[in-house]
């Protein structure tokens, strides 16, 4: 038997891909047969196979039972998760990877390398995005069952850094696309972003996906546009796709959010929008850190910082640095966290905010203070965390969800510092806002506070808060 490749707890013999039965499964895109062969030759359970390719065990089971996989994006995920060599990928109908160049994703000193994928055509990016929107609107299991995998961000990040240049996005379609169409997308994005901040990701997420599927897809697939119009179109669509991913993240649909953010980054890469790419990489870092994948959060934040510096956007550099600091704090890297926070503060001080894009309006002193508070809270530095958490509440009142987060942060700091009555009073304010939101993150922060106060439930104020949470949130988790 040949050498063995370890992939997400799957030990795949490298000679498996040359077997005739495997070749037959790949050629027929029979993923069920492929999964059965993987299980037979590696001893892997359906759960372990699912972990490798980023799918829930139940969906893997249905594939093995005969459900067909037709989405290129899902096939790409399976190929990447299994570490398929180029000949196997091509048999499956996917583009090969380039093997000759192996750069680090973000920090070469860490020695994390990966094979760089060949650049996809812009039409492949568009088709993959359209498939994602259609599947989401139709609530297909393959999307709803997808789980988050920090390694699944490596491939799009590598595509981002290794793209040689922006592609010529133009085509001859039956429907003329012009600036009014693009401005409509931008205005809809601004409206949905405002609703997201005021009411949470679940309030308008379905509307966003339907707009992408029913209105945007025909523009991109059937449209007629020149090079300049095509790039503006893709930039606008990338921004709305990023927002859809952020909404899914806020609703704890983390695998789906990852798919959206990945597609948004690919579209921004195709459009050549470096600034938006930095923002999307920062969002990826935010999600990874929130889910406890600190190492990935650090790498993605550094990738965002390099991209922001390349774009010459100092405020985006500051944002990337606070994302890196938060990931360091979660990993308990106190010195690295302090260094990143110091750099972020100085970057924001010298940033010119006069030409900020609309999607960066949220990043201000209050947001920065909140991130400082989260960092010090994670590091157990309660008094410093309290000071910054209190400062974060001097904020734009339109960001209702953000205020709920910041109140929950301040309450949690008081709880950890041994002030349960004060924590309960502030937590009640956070609870009031949370009941107005459709945000799984807001609910989680309040529930975490409730759990943290359980040891003090004999105190009347704390017991009253715990009871109020259960009454207001019911089964919401």
């Amino acid at each position: 038997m040949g050498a063995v490749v370890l992939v997400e707890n799957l030990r795949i013999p490298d000679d498996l891909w040359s077997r005739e039965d495997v070749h037959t499964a790949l050629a027929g895109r029979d993923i069920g047969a492929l999964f059965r062969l993987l299980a037979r030759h590696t001893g892997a359970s359906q759960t372990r196979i699912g972990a490798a390719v980023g799918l829930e065990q139940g969906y893997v089971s249905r594939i093995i039972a005969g459900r067909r996989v037709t989405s290129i994006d899902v096939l790409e995920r399976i190929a990447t998760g299994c570490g398929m060599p180029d000949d196997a990928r091509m048999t499956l109908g996917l583009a090969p990877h380039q093997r000759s160049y192996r750069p680090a994703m973000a920090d070469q000193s860490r020695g994390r390398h990966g094979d760089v994928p060949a650049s996809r055509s812009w039409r492949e990016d568009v088709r993959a995005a359209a498939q994602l929107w259609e599947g989401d609107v139709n609530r297909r299991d393959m999307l709803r069952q997808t789980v988050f995998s920090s390694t699944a961000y490596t491939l799009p990040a590598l595509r981002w850094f290794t793209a040689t240049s922006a592609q010529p996005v133009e085509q001859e379609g039956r429907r003329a696309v012009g600036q009014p169409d693009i401005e409509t997308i931008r205005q809809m994005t601004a409206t949905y972003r405002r609703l997201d901040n005021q009411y949470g990701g679940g309030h308008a997420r379905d509307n966003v996906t339907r707009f992408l599927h029913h209105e945007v897809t025909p523009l991109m697939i059937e449209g007629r546009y020149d090079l300049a119009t095509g790039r503006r179109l893709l930039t606008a669509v990338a921004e709305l796709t990023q927002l859809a991913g952020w909404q899914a993240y806020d609703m704890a649909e983390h695998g789906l959010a990852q798919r959206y953010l990945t597609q948004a980054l690919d579209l921004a890469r195709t459009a050549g929008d470096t600034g938006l790419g930095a923002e999307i990489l920062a969002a990826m870092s935010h999600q990874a850190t929130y889910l406890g994948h600190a190492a990935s959060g650090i790498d993605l934040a550094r990738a965002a910082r390099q991209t922001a510096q390349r774009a010459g956007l100092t405020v985006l550099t500051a944002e990337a640095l606070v994302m890196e600091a938060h990931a360091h704090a979660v990993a308990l890297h106190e010195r690295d966290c302090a260094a990143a926070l110091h750099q972020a503060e100085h970057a924001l001080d010298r940033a010119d905010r006069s030409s900020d894009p609309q999607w960066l309006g949220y990043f201000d002193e209050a947001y920065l203070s909140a991130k400082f508070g989260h960092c010090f809270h994670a590091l157990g530095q309660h008094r410093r965390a309290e000071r910054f958490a209190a400062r974060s509440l001097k904020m734009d009142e339109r960001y209702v969800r953000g205020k709920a987060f910041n109140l929950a942060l301040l309450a949690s700091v008081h709880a950890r510092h041994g002030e349960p009555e004060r924590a309960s009073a502030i937590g009640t304010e956070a609870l009031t806002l949370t009941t107005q939101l459709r945000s799984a993150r807001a609910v989680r922060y309040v529930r975490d506070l409730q759990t943290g106060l359980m040891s003090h439930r004999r105190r009347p104020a704390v017991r009253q808060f715990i009871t109020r949470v259960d009454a207001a949130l019911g089964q919401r988790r």
Side-chain angles (χ1 to χ4, degrees):
M1 182 173 288
V4 171
V5 180
L6 180 63
V7 182
E8 288 279 334
N9 297 323
L10 284 185
R11 297 182 63 84
I12 301 178
D14 61 3
D15 60 355
L16 179 134
W17 305 109
S18 62
R19 292 179 55 91
E20 183 176 352
D21 50 2
V22 173
H23 183 275
T24 300
L26 293 172
R29 285 191 173 176
D30 188 347
I31 304 303
L34 175 63
F35 283 172
R36 288 192 293 273
L37 290 166
L38 282 173
R40 181 188 309 164
H41 293 286
T42 67
S45 66
Q46 293 177 7
T47 299
R48 287 174 65 191
I49 292 173
V53 300
L55 298 174
E56 291 279 6
Q57 178 273 327
Y59 189 53
V60 171
S61 177
R62 288 192 288 277
I63 291 173
I64 290 175
R67 187 178 189 118
R68 302 291 297 180
V69 176
T70 58
S71 167
I72 294 296
D73 198 45
V74 175
L75 292 170
E76 180 72 54
R77 179 177 286 243
I78 291 168
T80 301
C82 291
M84 286 186 193
D86 281 350
D87 55 352
R89 289 177 56 86
M90 288 187 289
T91 302
L92 191 57
L94 301 175
H97 286 173
Q98 295 175 351
R99 301 288 179 174
S100 57
Y101 176 51
R102 300 168 58 90
M105 178 178 115
D107 183 2
Q108 295 183 5
S109 66
R110 298 171 82 82
R112 295 177 183 175
H113 297 77
D115 293 321
V116 180
S119 295
R120 298 195 308 189
S121 74
W122 71 267
R123 286 186 172 84
E124 288 179 297
D125 290 330
V126 167
R127 282 196 297 270
Q131 286 180 337
L132 173 62
W133 306 332
E134 181 185 15
D136 194 9
V137 167
N138 293 328
R139 300 185 178 275
R140 290 179 180 165
D141 284 348
M142 70 174 187
L143 294 175
R144 301 291 167 172
Q145 299 291 339
T146 300
V147 297
F148 176 88
S149 170
S150 61
T151 58
Y153 275 146
T154 302
L155 185 64
L158 284 171
R159 278 200 295 263
W160 174 262
F161 277 108
T162 58
T164 54
S165 61
Q167 299 180 42
V169 181
E170 55 184 339
Q171 71 177 13
E172 291 294 330
R174 63 183 183 182
R175 175 181 178 179
V177 177
Q179 188 58 36
D181 299 296
I182 297 169
E183 190 59 32
T184 296
I185 296 172
R186 293 194 181 282
Q187 290 298 324
M188 293 297 288
T189 301
T191 298
Y192 287 135
R193 194 179 298 281
R194 184 170 62 254
L195 293 172
D196 176 65
N197 287 322
Q198 289 182 331
Y199 303 110
H203 178 75
R205 200 184 86 71
D206 288 346
N207 291 332
V208 172
T209 55
R210 283 195 295 268
F211 181 77
L212 285 167
H213 174 51
H214 293 296
E215 304 297 333
V216 174
T217 294
L219 291 177
M220 298 174 69
I221 300 294
E222 304 170 7
R224 180 173 70 254
Y225 37 83
D226 58 20
L227 177 60
T229 303
R231 291 183 65 177
R232 289 197 301 272
L233 175 63
L234 256 64
T235 294
V237 175
E239 183 185 341
L240 184 53
T241 303
Q242 187 266 349
L243 175 59
W246 191 256
Q247 291 174 318
Y249 165 28
D250 192 45
M251 291 304 294
E253 298 175 297
H254 291 294
L256 184 59
Q258 184 171 43
R259 297 279 295 279
Y260 269 100
L261 292 177
T262 295
Q263 290 298 156
L265 186 65
D266 283 340
L267 292 171
R269 171 182 53 80
T270 299
D273 193 322
T274 310
L276 182 57
E279 172 73 3
I280 296 166
L281 286 164
M284 291 174 166
S285 172
H286 196 297
Q287 184 191 24
T289 299
Y290 176 83
L291 293 174
H293 300 275
S296 292
I298 292 167
D299 282 342
L300 289 162
R302 287 175 172 169
R305 174 164 39 128
Q306 289 181 13
T307 303
Q309 290 169 342
R310 192 172 74 200
L313 296 171
T314 307
V315 66
L316 268 175
T317 302
E319 180 192 17
L321 282 163
V322 295
M323 297 303 170
E324 181 181 344
H326 195 186
H328 280 304
V330 170
L332 302 180
H333 300 159
E334 185 173 347
R335 182 176 298 179
D336 291 333
C337 174
L341 288 177
H342 178 74
Q343 293 176 66
E345 203 166 24
H346 280 274
L348 190 60
D349 284 344
R350 65 176 186 271
D352 177 9
R353 306 300 303 271
S354 62
S355 58
D356 280 0
Q358 66 174 11
W359 42 258
L360 200 54
Y362 69 90
F363 190 76
D364 55 14
E365 292 289 346
Y367 186 92
L368 188 68
S369 295
K371 296 304 286 187
F372 272 58
H374 278 290
C375 289
F376 292 128
H377 186 41
L379 292 170
Q381 299 178 23
H382 305 306
R383 282 307 176 199
R384 298 179 78 182
E386 178 186 352
R387 184 168 71 254
F388 283 102
R391 189 183 301 174
S392 75
L393 291 171
K394 299 175 181 178
M395 61 183 298
D396 188 332
E397 295 293 326
R398 292 175 298 177
Y399 293 92
V400 178
R401 181 181 55 199
K403 187 171 184 179
F405 290 170
N406 294 352
L407 284 166
L409 168 63
L410 181 58
S412 296
V413 170
H414 282 296
R416 289 272 293 273
H417 197 60
E419 300 170 329
E421 285 89 356
R422 182 64 177 149
S424 297
I426 298 171
T428 299
E429 295 182 60
L431 175 64
T432 299
L433 292 183
T434 298
T435 57
Q436 303 170 21
L437 299 167
R438 292 186 62 188
S439 167
R441 284 190 296 157
V443 171
R444 172 184 161 177
Y445 288 140
V446 171
R447 287 293 192 186
D448 286 350
L449 174 62
Q450 181 190 41
T451 300
L453 288 170
M454 280 296 184
S455 61
H456 303 284
R457 61 184 176 274
R458 293 181 181 276
R459 304 191 184 200
V462 176
R463 185 168 61 251
Q464 186 179 38
F465 170 70
I466 290 172
T467 301
R468 281 180 176 174
V469 171
D470 287 334
L473 300 183
Q475 298 300 313
R476 292 174 67 185
R477 293 284 171 182

